[in-house]
Amino acid sequence: MSGYAMDSATPAEIGTQVLPPSDQWSTAPVVPAPVCRFENFLGAERAGTLLEYAISREADFHAGTVLDPLSGQVSHKGRSSLVLPVTSSVFSAHLADCLPLVQEVLGHRAALTQTLTVLTSHGEGGHYGIHTDASRVRDVGTALSAVYYLHRRPRGFGGGQLRLYDTLLADGGARPAESYRTIEPEHDTIVFFPAGAFHEVVPSTCPSGHFADHRFTLTTWISGTGGAAAAPDDPFRIWPWLAHAAERTRPLTDVEHDHDGASPIALPAADPATRLTLPAPRRTS
């Protein structure tokens, strides 16, 4: 028993008027966007071949663009990067084999049928301001974005991290929160997240100035014909809220052609022999 005398507790009323504004309790939840990341996605040999291909196509890259959601005009505002539209049956097959697992991890239920892909290059000062990928897909509420990273080792650039913003739910709507998670652009890794999630690429540096030392990615948008992104009985469905927040970044009219010149291709079916699955849970006796 303590040797100190204790006074009996006295109830007291606490009101927000005695708290500074920054300390007042907010009931608006901040929800992180679901994300799934794989290491060693293509393997050392294929990743190396793809990187050398990207470097060899230096002369074919062009300045990346953005699409204004109100005017529908194409510009370079808020973005400094180089792009090259590409297709790859090998890369598409790898996507198809891991997507069932990705959808399981992200709580995603919609059918995915096609992809749209560009090679990107970020050098000195390369960046892409806060945005969603609503201009790339017809149904932002069910589409996925995937970013596959490539670079020389040792890394010849600095910065270039992906910031994936949380979503603030308030006043019957949704908007990007101030908080975010940072994803490092590690060679031969890929990250998947909802196309409706707000994200950005922070500025990069490239001291050598050589194209081969840039930060490269294969950026892919994976979409389908619509349908529910989450099961009706899910206790909390972030996907519709992400779509709601992204709607103001969507072009007011349907865009017939991708503003970076990419063309959609059909997504192949997953190969049962190579399809990724979660390991069986370990049983305890």
Side-chain angles (χ1 to χ4, degrees):
M1 184 173 180
S2 171
Y4 293 96
M6 299 182 65
D7 294 330
S8 59
T10 302
E13 181 180 351
I14 300 176
T16 57
Q17 67 271 15
V18 301
L19 298 175
S22 61
D23 289 338
Q24 293 181 10
W25 186 13
S26 170
T27 57
V30 174
V31 184
V35 61
C36 181
R37 178 177 176 272
F38 293 95
E39 299 178 349
N40 306 314
F41 183 66
L42 293 183
E45 183 176 351
R46 284 176 172 167
T49 299
L50 181 55
L51 176 61
E52 291 307 313
Y53 172 81
I55 294 171
S56 72
R57 296 292 300 274
E58 177 180 2
D60 299 317
F61 280 78
H62 59 269
T65 60
V66 298
L67 191 65
D68 187 280
L70 295 178
S71 67
Q73 297 297 310
V74 175
S75 72
H76 304 286
K77 184 179 180 180
R79 183 181 187 185
S80 177
S81 61
L82 299 174
V83 299
L84 175 65
V86 294
T87 61
S88 168
S89 58
V90 172
F91 187 71
S92 293
H94 275 70
L95 286 177
D97 284 348
C98 74
L99 277 175
L101 177 54
V102 170
Q103 290 183 276
E104 184 175 354
V105 171
L106 300 186
H108 184 272
R109 305 288 186 269
L112 298 171
T113 60
Q114 67 177 30
T115 62
L116 194 74
T117 304
V118 295
L119 263 171
T120 74
S121 168
H122 287 73
E124 183 67 32
H127 66 279
Y128 199 157
I130 301 176
H131 65 286
T132 76
D133 291 332
S135 65
R136 304 287 188 168
V137 295
R138 185 171 298 275
D139 183 1
V140 72
T142 60
L144 289 175
S145 296
V147 184
Y148 173 71
Y149 296 102
L150 293 160
H151 61 76
R152 278 187 166 179
R153 289 175 292 182
R155 189 184 296 185
F157 66 90
Q161 293 88 355
L162 173 69
R163 286 181 177 174
L164 187 62
Y165 283 81
D166 299 335
T167 298
L168 175 68
L169 311 182
D171 303 322
R175 63 179 184 270
E178 294 182 359
S179 56
Y180 55 81
R181 281 169 292 172
T182 299
I183 298 169
E184 286 289 336
E186 298 291 350
H187 179 72
D188 198 23
T189 65
I190 190 169
V191 59
F192 295 85
F193 54 91
F198 280 84
H199 56 286
E200 73 171 315
V201 179
V202 303
S204 59
T205 61
C206 185
S208 74
H210 298 152
F211 185 73
D213 287 330
H214 281 198
R215 165 196 182 275
F216 294 96
T217 73
L218 269 181
T219 302
T220 302
W221 301 278
I222 312 165
S223 58
T225 55
D233 57 350
D234 282 355
F236 187 79
R237 294 173 290 165
I238 184 59
W239 286 83
W241 290 102
L242 290 171
H244 186 279
E247 275 304 315
R248 60 190 175 89
T249 69
R250 170 182 291 287
L252 295 180
T253 57
D254 286 339
V255 180
E256 294 183 3
H257 304 287
D258 179 72
H259 51 88
D260 280 332
S263 299
I265 64 169
L267 183 69
D271 186 338
T274 54
R275 169 177 165 169
L276 296 181
T277 58
L278 285 174
R282 182 177 298 175
R283 295 184 178 274
T284 57
S285 56

